[in-house]
Amino acid sequence: MGFVKLNHPILMKLKMQGYTILRSNNPLSDENPTWIPEKVDMEKFFDLDSKWIAHASIPMHELHLLVIDDALYNIRNVDLFGEVIVR
């Protein structure tokens, strides 16, 4: 397990391994957040009544999510920042 710079090739590799989101507990102001890949059923993820969303929405608990597909298609590679934990 190690850390690699967040970029499109890493996101594509994670997507091919079945990961769908990246999660970070770092503040949004952090210039080098650490991202943790997770495999989440995206239908359940976008269901606002889901238990996963309720669990992730704990008051006073910072949780930042990045949907891998969204990042690949809507965020330029140069605009991605942080490091991803890879296994």
Side-chain angles (χ1 to χ4, degrees):
M1 182 157 53
F3 294 91
V4 295
K5 183 176 175 353
L6 177 62
N7 58 40
H8 280 189
I10 292 300
L11 288 172
M12 186 58 71
K13 179 180 176 182
L14 291 170
K15 180 179 176 175
M16 292 176 69
Q17 293 174 350
Y19 293 99
T20 53
I21 66 168
L22 299 179
R23 174 180 55 85
S24 178
N25 292 337
N26 293 85
L28 285 175
S29 59
D30 192 332
E31 293 182 15
N32 193 35
T34 300
W35 297 98
I36 303 163
E38 292 191 9
K39 296 176 182 179
V40 174
D41 180 332
M42 295 311 288
E43 281 190 33
K44 290 179 182 176
F45 178 80
F46 286 113
D47 177 6
L48 296 178
D49 293 328
S50 77
K51 290 180 183 178
W52 196 93
I53 290 293
H55 178 70
S57 301
I58 300 168
M60 305 300 291
H61 179 77
E62 292 189 56
L63 180 68
H64 308 291
L65 301 173
L66 182 65
V67 176
I68 290 176
D69 273 342
D70 183 52
L72 281 168
Y73 300 110
N74 297 311
I75 300 175
R76 297 180 316 162
N77 198 43
V78 296
D79 292 332
L80 294 170
F81 59 95
E83 294 183 340
V84 181
I85 297 173
V86 292
R87 297 172 179 107

